[in-house]
Amino acid sequence: MSETTEITNEILEALGIDNDYRTESLELLEKGESRYLRDLKLNLTSTLTSEHLSTKECALIGLSSAINNNNKVLTQFFTRYAEEQGATTAETAEATGCASLLASNNIFYRFRHFTQKEKYSQIPARIRMQIMMKPVTGKEFFELMSLAISAINGCEMCVNAHEDSLIKMGTTEERIFDAVRIASLVTSAGKIIF
């Protein structure tokens, strides 16, 4: 067995996937004996822990990111991981809801930002956002998940608004940075494993 096949199998085992699983992308990396497979493995592993986030928070950010990216394999993995870290069904549901709500918000506010027309800022959004009022994960953490999803979706206005809100709540920049780092790595892994 080649080293790249061993690394591929280690990645699959860590995710709880059968060793026969392959996507076209994964096959290309494995057949080409790409050193990137080792990076992929280490990057995936680094989404599970943080010096500034609890393991449950890492798992919920990973879950929300995987759902946002419509990635079935990583959604299943991060759901299991979140549950193992003590996340309740209400918390995993909230990570799911966050991804869905931010998908609409990010499109809507990106549109407002892109057009820069005052008229669009005066028209009510009419997007229901009650989940943000009393989140079961807490206001600060919901903002953190919202920021991570907004970063994935590329909404500059949303990223700035959530980051500003978090700073005003007393959230450290290291905590914010790690949330976005996890979201970026989950998104990256989802290009290979889905």
Side-chain angles (χ1 to χ4, degrees):
M1 183 183 307
S2 72
E3 181 182 358
T4 54
T5 299
E6 283 180 35
I7 294 168
T8 300
N9 289 342
E10 288 171 11
I11 293 168
L12 298 175
E13 183 180 333
L15 293 172
I17 304 170
D18 187 71
N19 278 354
D20 293 337
Y21 171 91
R22 294 294 186 275
T23 60
E24 289 177 17
S25 314
L26 194 53
E27 270 186 10
L28 288 170
L29 291 172
E30 188 178 0
K31 286 180 182 176
E33 298 184 12
S34 175
R35 292 178 296 167
Y36 179 69
L37 282 168
R38 183 174 303 285
D39 293 342
L40 178 64
K41 177 185 166 190
L42 295 173
N43 287 341
L44 256 174
T45 301
S46 80
T47 66
L48 307 179
T49 60
S50 160
E51 292 178 31
H52 309 285
L53 301 166
S54 71
T55 52
K56 180 169 85 170
E57 289 173 330
C58 291
L60 290 171
I61 290 168
L63 174 59
S64 195
S65 300
I67 288 168
N68 181 74
N69 296 331
N70 202 28
N71 187 300
K72 184 177 180 177
V73 172
L74 294 178
T75 295
Q76 290 171 347
F77 169 75
F78 279 106
T79 299
R80 280 192 313 272
Y81 186 62
E83 290 168 352
E84 289 167 6
Q85 302 312 311
T88 65
T89 54
E91 290 170 327
T92 57
E94 192 163 272
T96 303
C98 180
S100 177
L101 174 62
L102 269 291
S104 66
N105 283 3
N106 294 159
I107 291 168
F108 181 79
Y109 289 104
R110 208 167 46 224
F111 164 77
R112 276 188 173 175
H113 179 73
F114 286 164
T115 60
Q116 296 188 11
K117 286 188 175 179
E118 184 61 33
K119 178 70 175 177
Y120 295 130
S121 295
Q122 296 169 357
I123 301 170
R126 296 186 62 211
I127 298 172
R128 188 111 166 116
M129 298 183 239
Q130 289 300 307
I131 192 174
M132 288 182 150
M133 298 304 114
K134 290 184 181 177
V136 296
T137 56
K139 196 101 169 113
E140 188 267 355
F141 185 69
F142 194 89
E143 281 288 324
L144 203 58
M145 278 194 299
S146 298
L147 171 64
I149 299 304
S150 295
I152 292 170
N153 293 338
C155 179
E156 179 183 356
M157 179 184 254
C158 300
V159 166
N160 288 331
H162 291 299
E163 197 264 352
D164 182 59
S165 178
L166 284 161
I167 295 296
K168 287 176 179 168
M169 288 182 193
T171 304
T172 64
E173 289 169 330
E174 291 81 7
R175 188 167 161 77
I176 292 167
F177 188 86
D178 265 5
V180 174
R181 177 186 61 81
I182 289 168
S184 73
L185 292 174
V186 171
T187 299
S188 171
K191 303 297 180 189
I192 308 299
I193 299 164
F194 47 88

